[in-house]
Amino acid sequence: MIDSSPLTQLPWAGPAAGSARPCVQDVHRALTYAQLEDEARAFAEQLDELGIRQGDVIGIMLPNSVELVVATLGAWIRGVVATPINPTLTAREVSYQLEDSRARLLVGAAMEGVDVPSLAADELRRSATSRDAITVDPDRLALLVYTSGSTGSPKGVMLDHRNLEAMATSMAQHFGLTASDHALLVLPLFHVNSICVTLLAPFTVGARVTVLERFAPRSFVDAMERFQPTYFSAVPAIFAHLAALPADERVETRRLRFAVCGAAPVSPELLQRCESRFGMSITEGYGLTEATCASACNPVSGIRKPGTVGPALPGQRIRVVDPRGEDVPTGERGEVAISGPTVMRGYLNRIEATAEAIPDGWLRTGDVGILDEDGYLRIVDRIKDMIIRGGENIYPKEIESVLATHSAVLEAAVVGRPDPVLGEVPVAFVVLAPGAEVDADALIAHCRLGLAKIKVPVALEILDALPRNPVGKVDKPALRHSLAAV
């Protein structure tokens, strides 16, 4: 039996359902809550006619736009799972995600080398014929969001509608959102951050969303002036770009209640510079896709502790544990573990990886943190080798695997190098096969054939041998140290 409790993150189930209130807009067009529901219904009907059935998966590979929002919501009306795809991925990467998720349709431009039927954005139907009641099962999968693990193989994080409802309502509660709020969505909608913080959370209170196709300093400044939002969510690289604006550049913040910074570590000094210069209040948070988005966040009003990511969000619990899963004393380091209704159902078709990530009902994040006496969390290290470039997660193993396909490469190791704007950038170290001859530029060009631009190493060094620790594993800390010493 389907749970009848309302999923208020869905615009037809929230407080503004069916109304003429402004709902979502991009630079091309705007929809009211009633119009968004109608277009989502129309796309759901279109999916039915295309033979897409309840429980099927569709890939959505569109730039940030009203059409992307319509396609996602229409899929959910039909009972279909959406897997959002980064439009900058290569054909190899897109094919992997579509094949792994068993997607039956790609909403977006056809791509050479991708063997899945496609439907372009301008082919989405805009008017529905049915006005039947919409019923969405809270336990049905809603999203398959792909993220890489330590093996480098992208994994589909399974999030159901109940996960999204818990996250969206928690965000709305924590930030005190009301119908008068106006979110400026600047992060890509293939991330749960944008989906939850600046799209679904506003829907739960009947607020308004303006979608920017992408972040660029000039367009952002113009959007702040034109739309005068009450909040936005961004990554540290965006705040670094804002801090680097010319001294006479003004950013309109009169109606801005707060901004959110997350997805990557950020220095308190950078946030303070932006707050002082632009008169904005920035609250830092922490989370991961496997917990639907955010698990901790400093409050908008109340005690904010610079250098921390705040306390656990409503409905979630955070522990810091030792390798046995036992709590460490307050103020000591350990692995951050999370529980609550936002924790994922698991990784698609990866039982062992799911059991490793959630061994005892608590999601093990792979991050090292400290909880203080007030329950505020400070992230101090990462257990995994993940590189975070401008808020985008990059996994070295994937880059190493692509390098290994070059006939001249014997071994490869990739680590992150600190970057003042992006946080980190990938750098590769390669050992050539005996007798092989190739230069660094050729190997980087090889990476461009199979990797999205952000994953391509910014530098590559050819070594006689990779450093190794006593048990024979590549000594990545030594490689990082060599970069820091340059």
Side-chain angles (χ1 to χ4, degrees):
M1 181 177 178
I2 295 177
D3 188 337
S4 61
S5 59
L7 296 170
T8 56
Q9 80 277 15
L10 302 175
W12 54 83
S19 74
R21 285 188 59 84
C23 181
V24 62
Q25 65 182 351
D26 57 24
V27 295
H28 302 293
R29 63 194 189 106
L31 298 179
T32 66
Y33 273 85
Q35 290 169 333
L36 178 59
E37 177 184 335
D38 185 62
E39 291 204 15
R41 283 177 179 270
F43 181 61
E45 294 174 358
Q46 194 171 6
L47 288 176
D48 184 39
E49 294 172 9
L50 290 170
I52 306 299
R53 300 293 175 245
Q54 192 174 80
D56 285 343
V57 178
I58 65 169
I60 301 178
M61 190 174 69
L62 297 173
N64 279 9
S65 58
V66 167
E67 286 74 23
L68 192 159
V69 176
V70 168
T72 302
L73 295 173
W76 293 346
I77 291 175
R78 181 72 186 115
V80 168
V81 185
T83 185
I85 302 174
N86 180 349
T88 69
L89 295 184
T90 65
R92 178 191 70 84
E93 294 162 315
V94 172
S95 293
Y96 173 86
Q97 184 169 335
L98 293 172
E99 290 168 7
D100 189 75
S101 64
R102 298 183 180 178
R104 297 193 53 211
L105 177 72
L106 174 63
V107 180
M111 197 172 191
E112 186 176 353
V114 175
D115 190 24
V116 173
S118 63
L119 185 72
D122 60 6
E123 295 179 299
L124 270 63
R125 188 175 301 166
R126 292 193 177 185
S127 181
T129 59
S130 172
R131 290 295 178 271
D132 294 340
I134 300 172
T135 303
V136 176
D137 184 348
D139 294 317
R140 183 172 294 283
L141 283 185
L143 292 173
L144 277 173
V145 183
Y146 273 74
T147 183
S148 295
S150 58
T151 64
S153 299
K155 300 188 293 291
V157 174
M158 298 188 291
L159 302 176
D160 58 34
H161 290 285
R162 202 182 298 276
N163 291 139
L164 297 180
E165 188 270 340
M167 188 75 263
T169 55
S170 175
M171 289 276 87
Q173 177 183 343
H174 182 73
F175 295 132
L177 300 184
T178 70
S180 62
D181 273 301
H182 182 178
L184 183 65
L185 192 156
V186 299
L187 297 177
L189 275 165
F190 53 81
H191 276 185
V192 287
N193 187 310
S194 267
I195 293 171
C196 293
V197 180
T198 41
L199 185 69
L200 299 183
F203 288 170
T204 68
V205 295
R208 179 181 180 183
V209 179
T210 292
V211 179
L212 296 188
E213 182 173 341
R214 65 178 64 87
F215 172 83
R218 183 70 262 163
S219 61
F220 177 82
V221 171
D222 291 345
M224 290 292 291
E225 176 71 33
R226 176 180 175 185
F227 301 113
Q228 298 190 24
T230 61
Y231 81 97
F232 67 89
S233 179
V235 296
I238 287 178
F239 289 104
H241 281 296
L242 295 179
L245 287 171
D248 60 350
E249 184 75 71
R250 176 178 172 273
V251 177
E252 175 57 70
T253 59
R254 280 179 298 174
R255 295 196 66 240
L256 192 73
R257 294 204 296 119
F258 64 93
V260 185
C261 182
V266 63
S267 70
E269 292 78 12
L270 172 60
L271 298 188
Q272 179 58 45
R273 283 199 298 273
C274 287
E275 287 190 327
S276 298
R277 177 175 173 185
F278 302 113
M280 60 175 69
S281 174
I282 306 172
T283 180
E284 187 181 358
Y286 162 80
L288 59 167
T289 303
E290 288 86 344
T292 309
C293 177
S295 293
C297 191
N298 274 284
V300 173
S301 57
I303 298 174
R304 285 191 296 147
K305 295 188 179 183
T308 79
V309 293
L313 286 166
Q316 299 188 62
R317 293 176 63 198
I318 293 177
R319 297 164 60 209
V320 175
V321 301
D322 62 22
R324 301 184 306 275
E326 302 292 332
D327 291 346
V328 302
T330 298
E332 292 193 10
R333 297 185 178 199
E335 183 175 8
V336 179
I338 298 166
S339 74
T342 61
V343 172
M344 67 174 177
R345 185 181 296 186
Y347 295 115
L348 179 68
N349 299 325
R350 287 170 171 80
I351 296 174
E352 291 183 1
T354 299
E356 182 180 352
I358 315 174
D360 50 8
W362 287 78
L363 175 66
R364 301 299 176 85
T365 66
D367 292 312
V368 178
I370 297 172
L371 279 173
D372 70 14
E373 63 279 1
D374 298 319
Y376 281 62
L377 177 66
R378 181 161 63 95
I379 302 297
V380 296
D381 202 352
R382 293 194 299 275
I383 295 173
K384 302 174 184 177
D385 287 332
M386 181 175 69
I387 299 166
I388 303 179
R389 177 177 181 169
E392 294 280 353
N393 293 349
I394 300 173
Y395 289 84
K397 183 65 176 176
E398 185 178 9
I399 304 172
E400 292 161 4
S401 296
V402 170
L403 281 167
T405 65
H406 194 288
S407 60
V409 173
L410 179 65
E411 290 185 295
V414 175
V415 297
R417 185 181 74 192
D419 183 272
V421 173
L422 297 172
E424 294 175 295
V425 291
V427 173
F429 297 86
V430 168
V431 176
L432 299 183
E437 293 185 4
V438 68
D439 61 22
D441 289 342
L443 292 176
I444 291 176
H446 176 74
C447 289
R448 291 194 185 101
L449 297 176
L451 293 168
K453 184 178 179 181
I454 63 165
K455 300 177 186 177
V456 175
V458 300
L460 186 147
E461 185 175 352
I462 297 175
L463 305 177
D464 291 331
L466 295 175
R468 297 185 182 276
N469 63 22
V471 297
K473 293 184 178 181
V474 175
D475 190 352
K476 288 193 172 182
L479 292 175
R480 295 189 189 98
H481 181 72
S482 70
L483 292 174
V486 174

